[in-house]
Amino acid sequence: MRRTRLTHAVLAVLLTLGAGVAAGGAPATADDARTAKAPASAGLLTAMQSDLHLTRAQAEQRLAAERRATAIEPKVRRAAGSSLGGTWYDADAATLTVGLTPDATRATVRAVRATGADVRTVAHTARELAATQGRLDRLTAPAGVASWHVDPRASTVVVNVVTNKRADNDVRRFVAQAHRAGPVTVRHLATAPQTFAAGTVGGDPFYTGNVRCSIGFSVYGGFITAGHCDQHTGAVYGWDRSYIGNFQGSSFPDNDYAWVNVGSGWWTVPVVLGWGTVSDQLVRGSNVAPVGSSVCRSGSTTHWHCGTVLAMNETVNYSQGAVRQMTKTSVCAEPGDSGGSFISGDQAQGVTSGGWGNCSSGGETWFQPVNEILNRYGLTLHTA
């Protein structure tokens, strides 16, 4: 009975995104080593094919190109120096692109190209754009302002305004202040962002208070998830309502992250559930995928969905307050997916925070980067 109970406990963690076993299956074993050598799991590749409209070969080629881009990104930043305007992944060219300001020397351009990256001329440095965003972060944004982020490709700070609120006096006042802060472009968003927690319903969740969320990634001693999932009731329960552990730390708003200790017969494994495969994607690290890269999300409501990274370091203005340093994606999500895993290839990216839209009509979703969470609480990602 003890072995059966522990098997179900592992399954519960997997079904809430802390690991990767399909319902009715068993924990991953050494027999899965062959799968681990593949460029990506079958579940991840299937989701990429569906959501990004790729063939299997195209999905594999894209992951390989993105892995190369991620690897050279730190070298590119060093080579660009003070002329750096930002970086992004160009899916059409299958390479990392670097924005350099017009004052970049020929030597700087040669050094950047020597890394294998493409070069584009942009108007403003990354430092100038970050300073502009910092000025906006010090403002109080009304509800009609959805978010703001640096767009390195357009060399501007993009302020997203909810379409039906653009004539609101408070919104117009914020936009005027934003334009005075530096290079700013205003774009319109159909719907205001919201978090993706859900009330207590059946499924494959973890529960706390009257909220259902999804596990993000295993860390040694527990798992990480979204901060808004913490209802400050302390205890966390699995899909079968058995006790997992307690919230050990959380932050929301301003941030949106939390971590939960794991015990009582539960344990952690470095796997993200692919919903339909016996052993899905192993987590091997947390290298940051550049803007433009493909990224996939696993959640207890809508399971696997994929898209691309649209922006980094975006400030999202939820009704509960602004959350900073978020990453925006074209991936859809729905209530109950909060806290779930965002992964690019085999590299953990972050935990689902919120967004707008749904997985029927589409939408956008933000995640809180995983490395920030690990650093904040001194945690170590559980990797294969």
Side-chain angles (χ1 to χ4, degrees):
M1 292 300 293
R2 174 68 173 173
R3 181 177 181 181
T4 300
R5 187 175 72 81
L6 292 179
T7 300
H8 283 297
V10 170
L11 179 58
V13 175
L14 300 176
L15 290 175
T16 51
L17 307 189
V21 177
T29 67
D31 293 335
D32 299 308
R34 292 185 299 275
T35 301
K37 295 178 182 178
S41 69
L44 187 147
L45 289 171
T46 298
M48 289 181 67
Q49 291 173 70
S50 173
D51 292 341
L52 297 177
H53 309 293
L54 304 173
T55 66
R56 182 183 179 91
Q58 288 172 332
E60 291 177 342
Q61 290 165 4
R62 176 158 182 161
L63 285 172
E66 290 174 350
R67 191 173 295 115
R68 292 192 296 270
T70 300
I72 68 171
E73 209 266 351
K75 301 175 185 176
V76 160
R77 288 183 172 275
R78 289 193 294 271
S82 61
S83 299
L84 177 69
T87 64
W88 61 93
Y89 177 75
D90 186 332
D92 293 332
T95 188
L96 187 71
T97 302
V98 183
L100 293 179
T101 51
D103 63 350
T105 65
R106 292 181 180 179
T108 296
V109 174
R110 286 196 300 269
V112 171
R113 285 181 172 152
T115 66
D118 283 346
V119 173
R120 297 288 183 273
T121 301
V122 296
H124 303 285
T125 66
R127 185 185 296 273
E128 290 171 332
L129 296 175
T132 299
Q133 183 178 15
R135 295 182 191 107
L136 300 192
D137 284 343
R138 291 190 287 274
L139 301 177
T140 299
V145 176
S147 63
W148 52 94
H149 70 274
V150 169
D151 182 347
R153 286 167 289 198
S155 198
T156 187
V157 174
V158 175
V159 175
N160 293 299
V161 172
V162 180
T163 301
N164 64 2
K165 298 290 186 181
R166 58 186 173 183
D168 182 89
N169 287 335
D170 289 338
V171 171
R172 295 174 68 174
R173 188 177 301 110
F174 181 91
V175 169
Q177 291 176 310
H179 280 301
R180 290 194 293 270
V184 163
T185 300
V186 176
R187 296 176 186 167
H188 296 110
L189 189 69
T191 309
Q194 60 182 354
T195 56
F196 285 129
T200 300
V201 295
D204 304 317
F206 78 80
Y207 295 97
T208 179
N210 64 345
V211 162
R212 170 170 64 88
C213 282
S214 303
I215 288 174
F217 292 97
S218 293
V219 296
Y220 286 99
F223 65 83
I224 57 176
T225 187
H228 71 264
C229 294
D230 184 2
Q231 298 297 290
H232 304 289
T233 57
V236 173
Y237 301 90
W239 69 281
D240 60 353
R241 301 294 182 152
S242 66
Y243 173 73
I244 298 175
N246 290 70
F247 278 95
Q248 299 298 302
S250 68
S251 177
F252 180 80
D254 193 39
N255 304 291
D256 194 5
Y257 50 59
W259 84 280
V260 176
N261 68 322
V262 167
S264 301
W266 294 66
W267 67 84
T268 63
V269 289
V271 182
V272 173
L273 180 63
W275 303 95
T277 59
V278 173
S279 176
D280 211 335
Q281 188 60 44
L282 289 171
V283 178
R284 294 193 176 92
S286 57
N287 293 329
V288 179
V291 169
S293 300
S294 63
V295 67
C296 295
R297 178 194 56 72
S298 188
S300 63
T301 298
T302 57
H303 302 175
W304 267 109
H305 285 279
C306 297
T308 58
V309 176
L310 299 177
M312 291 183 177
N313 195 29
E314 182 156 19
T315 301
V316 181
N317 192 35
Y318 293 129
S319 61
Q320 300 94 329
V323 177
R324 296 170 174 81
Q325 297 180 314
M326 299 255 269
T327 299
K328 179 164 69 175
T329 75
S330 64
V331 187
C332 68
E334 295 181 10
D337 288 326
S338 278
S341 320
F342 264 93
I343 190 166
S344 182
D346 56 13
Q347 299 296 305
Q349 299 299 307
V351 300
T352 303
S353 174
W356 61 271
N358 56 53
C359 290
S360 297
S361 59
E364 294 176 341
T365 303
W366 287 268
F367 66 77
Q368 185 88 71
V370 65
N371 289 330
E372 180 183 358
I373 308 171
L374 299 177
N375 291 336
R376 169 63 181 82
Y377 295 116
L379 301 170
T380 301
L381 189 66
H382 194 166
T383 57

